[in-house]
Amino acid sequence: FCVVSGGDCELQNAAYAEGMTYWPIQPNFKPYEVDASHPYFILDQNRCILCRRCVRACGELVGNFTLGFEERGAESRLVADLGVPMGESTCVSCGTCVQVCPTGALIDRNSAYRGLETQVEHHGTICLGCSIGCGVDVLTRDNNLIRIEGNWEAPINKGIICKVGRFMPLEEQGERIKTPLIRRDGALQPASWDEAVKAVAAKMKTGNAAAIASTRLSVEALYQFKEMFQNATSLEENGITAVSAKLADETKSAFESDLSAVQTADVVLTVGADLVNNHEVAGFFIKRNLPNGVKLVTIDAEANDLSFFADTALSIKPGAFLETINGVASLVRDLKKTKDAEVDAEKTLPGFESKTGISAKSVLAVANLLQSAKRPVIIYGKGLAANADALAVLKALVDLGHVCGAVSGEKANLVCLKGGANSLAAAQYGFDKPFTTDGQQAVFVALGDDTPRQTLIQQLENAPFVAVQASYVSQLTTRADVVLPVETWSETEGSYLNFAGYLQKAIRSQQMPENVKSNLDTLKAIADKMGVKVDAGKWEKELVKRTAPVSVVNV
């Protein structure tokens, strides 16, 4: 019996369905302490029915294996790791355990005691936290965010999401901008929309202007942005997606795939990709298969938390990706020729350790794994883009894929997880040119609810005129001459092209404040004042004009 429930508890609902509305004999309950050490949820052992759903979800779905049970029989109880508080454990805060708990033994801090789950509105949409595009169910009541859950029917993530999709969007993001602002007498002052839009259009239509957009904007907004400004790029202009796009331009064909191959892979090689701190759901897909005998190899020049789970982790010198990848490919070729594991790595790779910081013998171990693999998968990430010769590194990686069988004919088990939610769409529209303010008299930043990087803020310090459309106050908006208030992720409606080329729709979960506009409507208003006509119906055709590194689906 739980006095605070009323439709949310599976156990209580099942009991009531059987007519169990009271205890004929009062059970001798043993009280347990409540573990409130975790920042996102609470563990109340008094509600636990030992169903082990959370244990299975943590291990079989997420691959983290934090949860388990200690003792036996009536003394059994849920523990994290070896009995440490949940907040001090190896928990990665994905919240899958909370979502599958049938009784509220694991309670979400944000939504607890805020009304019944049967009295909320459900919005099936997608997460905009990264380019994977996980399907989520956003629960709201009276236009307030209550909780975010993974959508079990979503084709990409099958219900699994990470803290970036479940908990972090519910945290306080900063001070919301709720009215247009124009700088007068050295200070930003409230203004009307018409006044602010005119000020932006007057500066931007001169042609001597630059524009940069967040990849969190919808495809429709990015297309509008592209048609309005000649000198336009994205916040990821030098990122890994740009490198991938350049290779697609050269090869005139797709060479990447989605994450489906990870489910059946026997060897996974990650290069410059930390799938614990970025694109974490992809990391879950890998980690949960490791107990089944899947071998994991990581190569990175920076600290990589995924290396903890790897069979072989190569920590190389910065800028040594090209030598390392070519070295692995050379040894795989030698192994295929000799069919003998006793290849002399030092002879094949003379002076290798001085160039890369790792021994030739360690690379031979990787080559042995790849040479014997039947279903190898290679995943690369933003670490490659930090190299001056990033395009050459990617070409070498594709070559390694051919050598080890990860890339063969139409099969291309080569995955790039890219950057922001619409990173691929931005690249398809040509937003991969370097951003510069040299000689520009005005700069327009379509930031949305993104966070401006420090390098961008520094670049704009001496710009004569800066206009920003943004959701929250930041160092960039306080520096701007005109600020236009726009929607957040939960107020966005539009299309998103994920890293693998799947076009999905984001559905609005919350209504915008009264004086706030969508990113797309804001850009349209500026275009009208600039006298620029944009055919909004062409965004789909323009999206596939450029050869994509993946086979664009559903466009």
Side-chain angles (χ1 to χ4, degrees):
F1 178 73
C2 178
V3 295
V4 299
S5 187
D8 293 350
C9 176
E10 289 184 45
L11 177 66
Q12 189 182 70
N13 293 343
Y16 286 172
E18 299 298 324
M20 298 170 63
T21 57
Y22 65 96
W23 292 104
I25 300 175
Q26 182 66 29
N28 183 24
F29 286 122
K30 176 181 177 180
Y32 292 95
E33 290 185 4
V34 175
D35 182 356
S37 62
H38 198 280
Y40 295 122
F41 56 86
I42 294 169
L43 170 59
D44 186 351
Q45 298 277 6
N46 300 289
R47 298 183 181 191
C48 182
I49 59 172
L50 313 181
C51 70
R52 289 170 169 75
R53 277 192 198 175
C54 58
V55 177
R56 294 190 61 190
C58 187
E60 297 175 28
L61 297 181
V62 180
N64 216 54
F65 301 95
T66 295
L67 301 177
F69 277 86
E70 70 176 10
E71 302 300 341
R72 294 291 183 268
E75 297 299 318
S76 298
R77 70 187 190 99
L78 181 67
V79 293
D81 296 332
L82 297 178
V84 302
M86 189 71 74
E88 300 173 15
S89 71
T90 57
C91 173
V92 294
S93 302
C94 69
T96 308
C97 58
V98 179
Q99 184 169 338
V100 301
C101 180
T103 63
L106 290 160
I107 312 166
D108 173 32
R109 281 181 178 272
N110 185 74
S111 63
Y113 311 120
R114 291 180 63 189
L116 301 180
E117 187 177 322
T118 53
Q119 298 172 359
V120 296
E121 296 177 3
H122 292 262
H123 310 270
T125 183
I126 58 173
C127 173
L128 305 186
C130 74
S131 60
I132 293 180
C134 296
V136 295
D137 182 17
V138 180
L139 280 60
T140 65
R141 182 184 295 111
D142 299 329
N143 206 38
N144 293 310
L145 284 174
I146 302 298
R147 188 164 69 246
I148 301 173
E149 296 188 337
N151 178 3
W152 299 115
E153 305 300 321
I156 293 171
N157 59 309
K158 304 292 185 183
I160 308 303
I161 57 177
C162 66
K163 62 179 176 292
V164 174
R166 188 187 302 273
F167 295 122
M168 291 176 67
L170 303 179
E171 296 177 343
E172 185 64 43
Q173 303 299 314
E175 182 183 349
R176 189 73 188 269
I177 304 170
K178 295 183 178 179
T179 186
L181 303 169
I182 292 181
R183 188 169 297 279
R184 297 188 181 97
D185 299 324
L188 288 172
Q189 303 290 337
S192 68
W193 266 98
D194 188 62
E195 188 179 10
V197 168
K198 280 182 179 179
V200 175
K203 293 288 186 178
M204 297 304 295
K205 69 181 180 181
T206 61
N208 191 16
I212 188 167
S214 165
T215 54
R216 286 173 64 91
L217 270 62
S218 68
V219 176
E220 294 86 346
L222 288 174
Y223 175 70
Q224 178 77 22
F225 191 81
K226 168 184 177 291
E227 295 296 291
M228 289 171 58
F229 308 115
Q230 291 183 341
N231 186 13
T233 189
S234 79
L235 294 176
E236 296 181 31
E237 82 276 12
N238 292 318
I240 190 61
T241 313
V243 180
S244 179
K246 288 176 183 176
L247 184 56
D249 286 339
E250 286 191 16
T251 60
K252 301 298 180 186
S253 62
F255 58 90
E256 295 174 354
S257 64
D258 59 19
L259 286 169
S260 59
V262 173
Q263 309 302 322
T264 57
D266 55 356
V267 174
V268 177
L269 168 65
T270 69
V271 183
D274 182 351
L275 303 184
V276 172
N277 296 304
N278 300 294
H279 304 91
E280 195 171 11
V281 170
F284 296 161
F285 290 167
I286 297 171
K287 287 162 54 181
R288 70 188 187 187
N289 285 333
L290 296 181
N292 299 327
V294 176
K295 302 298 182 183
L296 173 62
V297 179
T298 62
I299 300 176
D300 211 330
E302 298 179 355
N304 190 325
D305 289 344
L306 192 65
S307 299
F308 175 80
F309 304 93
D311 294 87
T312 302
L314 303 183
S315 181
I316 63 175
K317 289 181 178 179
F321 277 106
L322 185 59
E323 291 84 357
T324 304
I325 294 168
N326 284 335
V328 174
S330 295
L331 290 175
V332 172
R333 288 190 177 96
D334 284 357
L335 289 168
K336 286 183 178 294
K337 288 177 184 177
T338 62
K339 299 182 184 297
D340 182 7
E342 298 300 323
V343 167
D344 189 342
E346 297 290 348
K347 184 178 179 180
T348 303
L349 306 175
F352 187 77
E353 188 166 358
S354 62
K355 297 176 185 176
T356 64
I358 55 174
S359 68
K361 186 177 290 187
S362 64
V363 175
L364 180 59
V366 174
N368 270 306
L369 285 174
L370 292 174
Q371 189 272 334
S372 60
K374 294 181 179 179
R375 299 175 301 279
V377 173
I378 300 174
I379 300 176
Y380 69 97
K382 65 179 185 179
L384 264 66
N387 292 261
D389 51 355
L391 184 57
V393 175
L394 182 52
K395 288 179 179 178
L397 199 59
V398 174
D399 176 63
L400 175 60
H402 284 291
V403 172
C404 70
V407 179
S408 177
E410 294 184 357
K411 183 189 74 171
N413 294 338
L414 185 66
V415 181
C416 174
L417 293 173
K418 303 179 174 63
N422 250 334
S423 182
L424 179 57
Q428 289 302 104
Y429 285 147
F431 293 160
D432 51 7
K433 299 184 291 291
F435 177 69
T436 178
T437 59
D438 293 343
Q440 308 294 340
Q441 294 302 306
V443 178
F444 182 77
V445 184
L447 187 65
D449 64 353
D450 210 343
T451 302
R453 61 176 188 264
Q454 286 299 315
T455 52
L456 177 63
I457 295 170
Q458 292 168 5
Q459 278 182 291
L460 300 180
E461 280 183 354
N462 298 318
F465 176 87
V466 177
V468 182
Q469 64 178 56
S471 308
Y472 301 104
V473 173
S474 67
Q475 285 181 274
L476 190 59
T477 61
T478 55
R479 157 69 184 86
D481 298 283
V482 179
V483 179
L484 303 171
V486 292
E487 65 198 349
T488 64
W489 69 272
S490 61
E491 299 158 357
T492 297
E493 188 142 328
S495 303
Y496 284 81
L497 191 68
N498 88 331
F499 76 99
Y502 291 98
L503 191 66
Q504 303 184 99
K505 199 80 173 179
I507 304 301
R508 182 173 291 120
S509 306
Q510 286 182 293
Q511 297 302 314
M512 292 175 282
E514 185 177 355
N515 207 27
V516 172
K517 294 182 182 293
S518 71
N519 285 294
L520 180 58
D521 287 344
T522 301
L523 292 170
K524 284 181 176 179
I526 297 170
D528 288 343
K529 296 296 184 183
M530 291 173 61
V532 176
K533 301 297 181 183
V534 178
D535 187 348
K538 287 186 176 181
W539 69 265
E540 292 182 74
K541 291 182 179 179
E542 290 291 325
L543 196 61
V544 295
K545 269 190 176 182
R546 186 181 190 182
T547 302
V550 295
S551 299
V552 180
V553 180
N554 296 331
V555 174

